[in-house]
């Protein structure tokens, strides 16, 4: 099992998949900042100014980290950021489910077709989180070969 | 040395976040769909503050009714009690302050339809304007209101 998870080709595939998902997820949010801001606002967690700032900056964090993973530059930093983002997303949706707030997720689409917050979304995020941890573990295990691993 | 590797990761993280910050705000200031950062509710940077509600007719009102829009009755409570559109909430425009907690409980991007008696009552328009000012986005004023609705025997209710 460990052999597969730490196989460089498997990790390469994970990088492409995870990076691709994040790039894909960011596009609709960049194109429709107002709708995305409303989606964040619906979670009822952040102050208005923070909602607006997050709506402006988060999609770019996603697309940059996604591209970093796909291309293979700043990979360590990108993976760590993605891990943190996913934890935050899961927490945000968890509290929404807990408080009984029925809202659109804002994960991929930010218009009316947006998927609803629920355990499925949290599950998806958790799978992505596992993928990110996998990539991170592989990278860390190769730090011994600092000179030969980019 | 292990410290250098963690430092490297830290630098990458800061770098990525900084570039995202710069790109995000730059893009926001040049695109026409950019946001007004310091607005108390999500708003476009160059969105004309349009507080003119969209007026709808009976057919459109019923269509929104069928898709679960929230209907707000702008009339006085005793008029509401005698009869109101099925499922609608009472939000007397003349007593807005007393009823503002109802407004606060509604998410601001749901579809809201305001109505009053109809001809001779523009409380539906006033209430709709008030909603727009408070940040509701999808507000429709059903001007023909109660009279038009009951005229064709659409669903109504009585009491609280």
């Amino acid at each position: 099992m460990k052999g597969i998870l730490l196989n460089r080709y498997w990790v390469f595939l994970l990088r492409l998949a995870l990076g691709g998902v994040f790039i894909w997820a960011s596009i609709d949010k960049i194109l429709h900042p107002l709708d995305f801001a409303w989606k964040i606002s619906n979670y009822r967690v952040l102050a208005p100014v923070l909602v607006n700032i997050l709506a402006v900056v988060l999609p770019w964090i996603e697309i940059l980290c996604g591209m970093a993973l796909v291309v293979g530059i700043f990979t360590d930093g990108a993976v760590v950021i993605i891990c943190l983002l996913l934890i935050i997303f899961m927490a945000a949706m968890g509290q929404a489910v807990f408080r009984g707030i029925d809202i659109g997720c804002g994960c991929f689409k930010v218009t009316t077709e947006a998927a609803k917050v629920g355990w499925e979304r949290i599950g998806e995020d958790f799978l992505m989180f596992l993928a990110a941890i996998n990539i991170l573990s592989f990278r860390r295990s190769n730090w011994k070969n600092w000179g030969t691993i980019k | 040395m292990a410290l250098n590797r963690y430092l490297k990761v830290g630098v990458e993280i800061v770098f990525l976040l900084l570039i995202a910050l710069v790109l995000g705000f730059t893009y926001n200031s040049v695109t026409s769909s950019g946001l007004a950062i310091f607005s108390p509710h999500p708003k476009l940077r160059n969105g004309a503050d349009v507080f003119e509600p969209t007026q709808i007719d009976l057919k459109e009102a019923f269509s929104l009714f069928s898709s679960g829009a929230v209907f707000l009755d702008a009339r006085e409570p005793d008029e509401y009690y005698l009869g109101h559109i099925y499922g609608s909430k009472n939000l007397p425009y003349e007593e807005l302050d007393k009823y503002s907690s109802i407004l606060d409980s509604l998410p601001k991007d749901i579809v809201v339809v305001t109505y009053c008696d109809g001809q001779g009552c523009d409380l539906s328009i006033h209430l709709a304007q008030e909603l727009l000012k408070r940040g509701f986005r999808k507000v429709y004023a059903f001007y023909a209101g109660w009279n038009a609705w009951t005229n064709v025997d659409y669903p109504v209710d009585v009491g609280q």
Side-chain angles (χ1 to χ4, degrees), chain A:
Chain A
M1 182 69 171
K2 199 173 178 196
I4 303 174
L5 292 187
L6 290 183
N7 177 277
R8 64 194 308 119
Y9 298 109
W10 165 250
V11 171
F12 179 64
L13 249 122
L14 279 189
R15 262 181 42 213
L16 288 185
L18 192 58
V21 166
F22 267 77
I23 295 175
W24 174 248
S26 68
I27 295 179
D28 206 47
K29 299 166 192 169
I30 292 178
L31 292 178
H32 303 110
L34 185 61
D35 290 303
F36 185 47
W38 279 112
K39 286 286 177 288
I40 299 176
S41 176
N42 283 342
Y43 281 85
R44 317 245 184 120
V45 176
L46 295 178
V49 174
L50 292 180
V51 167
N52 296 327
I53 293 176
L54 194 62
V56 165
V57 176
L58 180 60
W60 291 93
I61 297 179
E62 288 182 331
I63 203 171
L64 280 182
C65 289
M67 292 196 302
L69 274 193
V70 168
V71 172
I73 55 170
F74 298 150
T75 313
D76 295 314
V79 165
V80 171
I81 293 177
I82 284 178
C83 280
L84 292 175
L85 283 183
L86 288 169
I87 291 175
I88 293 172
F89 295 160
M90 287 190 281
M93 286 198 282
Q95 64 92 30
V97 170
F98 184 66
R99 286 161 75 189
I101 307 176
D102 181 27
I103 51 177
C105 162
C107 302
F108 291 90
K109 289 267 176 246
V110 293
T111 51
T112 41
E113 315 123 39
K116 291 283 191 130
V117 162
W119 293 111
E120 300 92 344
R121 305 285 89 69
I122 299 178
E124 285 165 10
D125 279 359
F126 187 67
L127 286 180
M128 287 193 271
F129 181 72
L130 291 180
I133 294 291
N134 193 160
I135 297 172
L136 199 57
S137 308
F138 174 80
R139 307 273 312 165
R140 286 203 63 187
S141 72
N142 282 289
W143 280 0
K144 295 188 222 69
N145 314 318
W146 188 253
T148 56
I149 301 291
K150 268 219 271 283

Side-chain angles (χ1 to χ4, degrees), chain B:
Chain B
M1 212 185 82
L3 181 60
N4 282 337
R5 292 165 203 190
Y6 287 114
L7 195 61
K8 176 178 181 280
V9 177
V11 168
E12 288 181 357
I13 292 175
V14 170
F15 196 65
L16 284 169
L17 291 179
L18 273 179
I19 298 196
L21 211 73
V22 169
L23 284 178
F25 279 102
T26 305
Y27 175 76
N28 191 63
S29 54
V30 300
T31 180
S32 56
S33 48
L35 301 180
I37 303 293
F38 294 103
S39 172
H41 57 87
K43 196 167 79 89
L44 291 182
R45 232 178 347 98
N46 59 6
D49 260 357
V50 182
F51 293 141
E52 221 32 69
T54 308
Q55 294 197 35
I56 57 174
D57 60 10
L58 179 64
K59 189 161 157 254
E60 287 164 295
F62 187 71
S63 171
L64 291 177
F65 174 82
S66 307
S67 57
V70 172
F71 272 65
L72 295 179
D73 191 323
R75 301 173 300 167
E76 286 299 295
D78 41 352
E79 287 176 289
Y80 173 86
Y81 188 86
L82 287 175
H84 50 269
I85 292 180
Y86 191 83
S88 67
K89 298 190 202 299
N90 192 204
L91 213 104
Y93 178 75
E94 311 285 6
E95 298 172 68
L96 203 52
D97 295 339
K98 255 206 305 182
Y99 288 73
S100 59
S101 57
I102 295 185
L103 285 185
D104 294 340
S105 72
L106 297 173
K108 293 204 158 50
D109 61 347
I110 59 170
V111 179
V112 180
V113 178
T114 63
Y115 75 93
C116 188
D117 276 325
Q119 280 285 358
C121 174
D122 31 357
L123 292 186
S124 54
I125 311 279
H126 291 312
L127 181 58
Q129 283 173 332
E130 208 41 59
L131 290 173
L132 286 172
K133 282 191 193 141
R134 282 157 190 255
F136 286 85
R137 289 182 65 215
K138 300 171 185 161
V139 183
Y140 301 94
F142 172 35
Y143 183 72
W146 178 247
N147 291 341
W149 193 266
T150 51
N151 209 33
V152 291
D153 284 330
Y154 277 158
V156 296
D157 204 2
V158 292
Q160 238 0 323

